Amino acid sequence: MEDCIFCKIIKGEIPSEKVYEDEDILAFKDINPAAPIHVLIIPKKHIATLMDITPEDNELMTKIMNAVQKVAKIVGADEKGFRLIANCGPDSGQEVMHIHFHLLAGRKMGPKIVH
Ligand code: AMP
Ligand code: ZN
């Protein structure tokens, strides 16, 4: 997608601090971290929101969850834990219209599901 900031990161047109990459997935550090560890995990396929995922993407979604585990291990959050957040649509405050999962770790998370 031409004007998508995350597609540009995937293509290397915008720099990022990569944490993990494979054929289908990229994980990189959030530019404005909300926790000591804040990684964004995204599919290389452009999908605008969680509501745009179709059954055709089932395998891809499984791969994203596999990547979540890999990233958690890479950043050392597999034992102590982490929070995984995905915003969808205007009320959630989703800013980038390319699905992404925020992996937050490195501190105790509050009781409220916010970041
Ligand atoms: P959301 O509000 O769920 O759409 O989250 C978008 C996230 O993307 C925010 O946490 C931003 O800090 C992050 N972000 C935006 N631009 C970049 C970038 N160039 N590199 C890394 N993270 C970014
Ligand atoms: Zn995109």
Side-chain angles (χ1 to χ4, degrees):
M1 241 259 184
E2 291 248 316
D3 286 336
C4 172
I5 187 170
F6 286 177
C7 282
K8 286 183 180 166
I9 286 176
I10 291 160
K11 286 188 265 179
E13 293 170 9
I14 293 175
S16 71
E17 266 192 80
K18 282 181 199 173
V19 174
Y20 172 78
E21 182 170 18
D22 64 30
E23 206 184 340
D24 303 295
I25 313 290
L26 180 65
F28 53 97
K29 291 188 183 172
D30 195 292
I31 205 167
N32 185 20
I37 297 164
H38 187 166
V39 178
L40 299 174
I41 298 149
I42 68 173
K44 290 186 174 175
K45 176 183 177 184
H46 179 89
I47 303 172
T49 82
L50 294 181
M51 291 308 294
D52 297 305
I53 296 165
T54 71
E56 274 183 18
D57 301 311
N58 284 356
E59 199 183 328
L60 180 60
M61 291 301 116
T62 303
K63 286 178 177 173
I64 291 178
M65 289 305 132
N66 295 338
V68 166
Q69 293 182 338
K70 285 176 186 159
V71 169
K73 285 181 183 156
I74 289 165
V75 301
D78 51 327
E79 300 266 320
K80 291 186 103 177
F82 56 87
R83 181 167 284 165
L84 195 66
I85 294 175
N87 292 316
C88 179
D91 271 5
S92 75
Q94 181 181 0
E95 285 175 1
V96 179
M97 293 298 144
H98 180 132
I99 60 169
H100 51 281
F101 292 84
H102 298 255
L103 186 150
L104 298 161
R107 65 165 166 82
K108 278 266 185 217
M109 300 294 150
K112 291 189 180 163
I113 305 171
V114 293
H115 75 276

